[in-house]
Amino acid sequence: MKPKLFLITPPFTQLNTPYPATAYIKGFLNTKNIESVQADLGIEVILKLFSKEGLRPLAPKGGIEQCSDNAKRIFALWDEYIKTIDSVIAFLQGKNPTLALQICQEDFLPEASRFAQLEELDWAFGTMGTQDKAKHLATLYLEDISDFIVECVDENFGFSRYAERLGRSANSFDELYGALQQEPTYIDQILLSILKDRIETIQPTLFLISVPFPGNLYSAFRSAQWVKKHYPNIKIAMGGGFPNTELRSLSDARVFEFFDYITLDDGELPIELLCSHVASSPPSEGLGEAKRTFLLEDGKVVYKNNSTKPDYKQSQVGTPDYSDLLLDKYISVIEIVNPMHRLWSDGRWNKLTMAHGCYWGKCTFCDISLDYIKVYEPVAASLLCDRMEEMIAQTGETGFHYVDEAAPPALMRALALEILRRKLAVTWWTNIRFEKSFTQDLCLLLKASGCIAVSGGLEVASDRLLKLIDKGVTVEQVAKVTRNFTEAGVMVHAYLMYGYPTQTVQETVDSLEMVRQLFEAGVLQSGFWHQFAMTAHSPVGMFPEQFGAVKETEAIGTFANNDINFIDSTGIDHDKFSFGLKKSLFNFMHGICFDYELQDWFDFKIPKTKIGADFIFDALQESPLTPEGGTKTMSGFNIKPTAKIVWLGGKPTIETFSKSKKGNSWAMMSLTFHDKKESFTIQTNKSEGEWLIEMLQKISVSNIPPSGARGLSFQDIKADFELQLEDFELFWYSKPVNTLREFGLLVL
């Protein structure tokens, strides 16, 4: 029997774009000619709930009298919400743009407590266009409805999560198991009605549920429970980020009342083996060959990893396939006026990965012992571009989010060159480490290829703690790299951390001062503070005593085991810093309050910072980084001989003329170049000009060899020049070449 697979992402992840796990797996299954259908049940449930049909039956449990004044106001205006909901959703799907004019009048949408923040955000609307302002107002409107649902209908609801509390740090399965014995909620009923239609239509032999986050777990079990009850012959498997990190020591047999299999880490080979098992006729009783798979045998949870087949290489897994997903139905929202958060929640992004795992793989707070980070394998730039072109043809979208742990700088360079060589007009962004490799010229190249933003971990802005974390960067280096990206026109978002073991109050204050200075210098555009969480698979979680921490309990639960409660040897209550850090950052992101004393952000006494007021400013005055990590003079001396030279500009128009002095005359050449914004002219003697025209053609980005082939290096160009002419250094550091360096002659 040929298997047929149904892959789902259960509610809820994102509203604006599908989570990519099922698209990745479907792309792989295509390479094996295994039939599959995928669905993002999160967006489908949201669209059914947030519709006239979905809102009409909603009524408070236990009566409106028990609700807050805000909920009473919303319920009193319920007819207005029902009247406007379909047109607002269509607007957020990009199908009803003229509604923006009505929404911005601020008398079209009913307003409840979420709109109270508008007075504080009035200044922000000055920089927002009509469409953006309307998106923001429509988002507040949806959040008002969400507040009502949470308070009066289903306390577990959330736009990007559902019953997340039941999945987070659930060492025991008891609470989740108990919730699954209750009658389905209203939202469950919507989910199960959609699932029923899909199962009846598709009639799969294998039902795969991807669970990326704790907020997807409850719905995953609800879905599996329904299928087990009504279609017991369908085999059900769970995979994804949540089981990969949380369920590695699973032992509770009750889980397998819902699922037949739970797979860990890369899903391609485990799923292929499950397909072979399900397709066998008649299916064998037990699971023969398996890869990283939990199942129940003789009433006990068994982990099977007896297959000798190696996992598939990244070059073999195929192109992510977004077919079946309702790509035109996703809704773009603007929750807060933050440029980077907007990328996450506004617009449709095709998701791709440059490299499996992390090329650094040392950060002590990260789960570096797990294969999804530990096993590093990059994808060739040419194959990445092939996949981009395939996905553009399929989805019609030219925006790409590279969802890497940290994209390798050398591969980013190769990808950018390949994008430019193929003349692809794309937009992309990714996560990075703030490496010294990100020179001014590399950042300009990335920008030219369509890179609009990078996010990276500054973590604790303290050199002592960055060393303890083994981040491999310093605050000074981060400042220079963020400057290089910012000056190239690439937005920079920093992940910030507080509460790392042994972090002192002084270090928290100094870290905030570093962040303040980075925003004041204009080299950071966005950031977010996260409180440190200890996880079981990180060096800190495995060897806490080495980091000045003590586990509160050694007990291992029978269900989820990842987050670890710990005691910091400093005894500091890091929680109390949360509000002040986040409030200050919100203001810094909007270019205000840099002159406030740090004490003003906290309602308890803090020490004065020990960071000099001009620390970041002074760091940025130093010579820029070279590709080798050293420094260079103003004109760019100390270029590595093997550095690749690339010209981003076009062909010049040429004029020749003569120049005379003291009875001598010589031929000159005037070269006029046109870039997208302006034109500029350089002058050289005729022989140098002729050589330059020929060389610019050779190193033009449109003429560079395909990815993997060697382009011309600085040494090659020098040697070529000296075959015909003299004094290459004199020519390279001359005014004409310096002008070209300003307009796209890059040293990489």
Side-chain angles (χ1 to χ4, degrees), residues 119 284 449 466 470 505 524 596 606 745:
E119 290 179 19
S284 53
S449 72
L466 285 172
D470 204 0
V505 170
L524 267 188
Y596 279 36
I606 62 168
L745 181 61

Side-chain angles (χ1 to χ4, degrees), residues 46 51 148 171 193 196 278 282 289 292 320 333 335 344 389 423 430 483 527 533 594 600 634 713:
I46 287 290
S51 67
F148 176 80
N171 297 100
S193 70
K196 178 177 183 290
V278 170
E289 192 181 11
R292 297 185 300 273
V333 295
E335 299 167 64
W344 281 306
E389 290 185 303
K423 297 181 171 61
T430 191
R483 183 265 314 276
F594 294 125
D600 294 344
M634 282 173 53
S713 67

Side-chain angles (χ1 to χ4, degrees), residues 184-297:
T185 66
Y186 180 65
I187 292 166
D188 291 341
Q189 290 169 19
I190 294 176
L191 166 65
L192 298 178
S193 70
I194 295 170
L195 183 61
K196 178 177 183 290
D197 290 344
R198 290 306 187 87
I199 293 289
E200 288 176 352
T201 303
I202 298 165
Q203 296 186 350
T205 52
L206 183 57
F207 181 35
L208 301 179
I209 305 180
S210 175
V211 183
F213 307 114
N216 304 93
L217 188 68
Y218 169 81
S219 293
F221 272 87
R222 266 295 184 210
S223 300
Q225 180 185 49
W226 186 89
V227 173
K228 267 276 174 253
K229 179 179 178 181
H230 295 93
Y231 293 89
N233 292 330
I234 296 176
K235 296 296 183 183
I236 308 174
M238 180 205 295
F242 181 86
N244 290 351
T245 53
E246 302 279 348
L247 301 184
R248 303 190 81 89
S249 55
L250 176 67
S251 61
D252 195 318
R254 294 175 297 173
V255 170
F256 293 91
E257 295 175 21
F258 305 84
F259 291 92
D260 297 290
Y261 314 108
I262 294 176
T263 67
L264 301 182
D265 301 329
D266 293 357
E268 290 84 4
L269 183 55
I271 289 169
E272 184 183 21
L273 293 173
L274 288 180
C275 287
S276 297
H277 171 69
V278 170
S280 62
S281 183
S284 53
E285 283 300 312
L287 182 60
E289 192 181 11
K291 196 82 169 178
R292 297 185 300 273
T293 302
F294 283 108
L295 67 154
L296 201 65
E297 286 187 352

Side-chain angles (χ1 to χ4, degrees), residues 159-174:
F159 278 118
S160 58
R161 62 193 63 85
Y162 187 54
E164 184 178 46
R165 178 186 57 80
L166 295 173
R168 189 173 291 283
S169 301
N171 297 100
S172 168
F173 188 49
D174 290 348

Side-chain angles (χ1 to χ4, degrees), residues 481-735:
V481 170
T482 56
R483 183 265 314 276
N484 291 345
F485 275 111
T486 298
E487 289 182 350
V490 178
M491 180 169 58
V492 184
H493 172 88
Y495 297 108
L496 306 164
M497 185 193 295
Y498 63 102
Y500 194 81
T502 73
Q503 182 173 351
T504 64
V505 170
Q506 184 69 58
E507 284 172 324
T508 301
V509 172
D510 290 349
S511 188
L512 173 57
E513 172 61 14
M514 292 283 205
V515 171
R516 186 195 71 77
Q517 290 187 28
L518 287 165
F519 275 99
E520 188 175 32
V523 296
L524 267 188
Q525 291 75 53
S526 176
F528 191 82
W529 286 104
H530 303 258
Q531 187 165 359
F532 169 76
M534 184 183 287
T535 58
H537 310 290
S538 66
V540 179
M542 293 187 289
F543 313 106
E545 64 285 347
Q546 296 179 15
F547 298 88
V550 178
K551 292 182 184 178
E552 279 192 332
T553 174
E554 287 292 338
I556 296 178
T558 58
F559 187 54
N561 292 292
N562 193 39
D563 288 0
I564 297 172
N565 294 327
F566 70 98
I567 299 168
D568 187 340
S569 60
T570 62
I572 295 168
D573 176 14
H574 296 288
D575 286 349
K576 66 182 182 180
F577 288 94
S578 177
F579 182 77
L581 291 173
K582 290 174 182 177
K583 184 177 180 183
S584 60
L585 183 64
F586 180 85
N587 286 279
F588 298 159
M589 277 194 294
H590 293 97
I592 57 176
C593 302
F594 294 125
D595 56 343
Y596 279 36
E597 294 290 332
L598 298 186
Q599 179 64 68
D600 294 344
W601 301 113
F602 303 96
D603 58 5
F604 54 90
K605 188 70 177 168
I606 62 168
K608 286 191 175 296
T609 182
K610 292 185 177 180
I611 304 300
D614 294 323
F615 179 88
I616 297 296
F617 177 81
D618 291 343
L620 294 176
Q621 302 317 299
E622 295 177 14
S623 298
L625 300 163
T626 67
E628 302 77 57
T631 57
K632 63 178 181 178
T633 64
M634 282 173 53
S635 302
F637 289 95
N638 293 342
I639 294 173
K640 194 174 180 180
T642 55
K644 183 180 283 190
I645 311 300
V646 173
W647 170 237
L648 296 181
K651 295 179 184 176
T653 53
I654 305 161
E655 290 182 24
T656 55
F657 61 97
S658 294
K659 212 170 188 179
S660 301
K661 191 173 185 181
K662 294 182 179 179
N664 294 321
S665 66
W666 59 95
M668 294 287 293
M669 190 173 277
S670 174
L671 310 179
T672 300
F673 296 85
H674 305 275
D675 74 3
K676 284 181 278 191
K677 285 189 174 181
E678 58 185 297
S679 303
F680 65 95
T681 300
I682 62 171
Q683 292 182 357
T684 69
N685 66 51
K686 188 168 183 288
S687 55
E688 287 178 348
E690 288 171 342
W691 177 89
L692 182 61
I693 293 166
E694 184 181 346
M695 183 53 66
L696 289 178
Q697 183 71 5
K698 287 179 182 176
I699 63 174
S700 170
V701 74
S702 58
N703 292 330
I704 59 173
S707 176
R710 182 177 176 273
L712 289 179
S713 67
F714 183 73
Q715 185 173 294
D716 295 330
I717 291 173
K718 180 177 185 294
D720 189 276
F721 184 92
E722 290 174 349
L723 285 174
Q724 309 169 42
L725 303 159
E726 297 177 352
D727 294 326
F728 175 74
E729 277 77 10
L730 195 62
F731 173 72
W732 180 261
Y733 297 112
S734 65
K735 184 179 177 182

Side-chain angles (χ1 to χ4, degrees), residues 381-401:
S382 56
L383 181 55
L384 287 172
C385 277
D386 289 345
R387 290 175 177 174
M388 290 173 82
E389 290 185 303
E390 283 182 56
M391 293 168 77
I392 291 168
Q394 183 190 73
T395 67
E397 300 283 352
T398 58
F400 291 84
H401 178 196

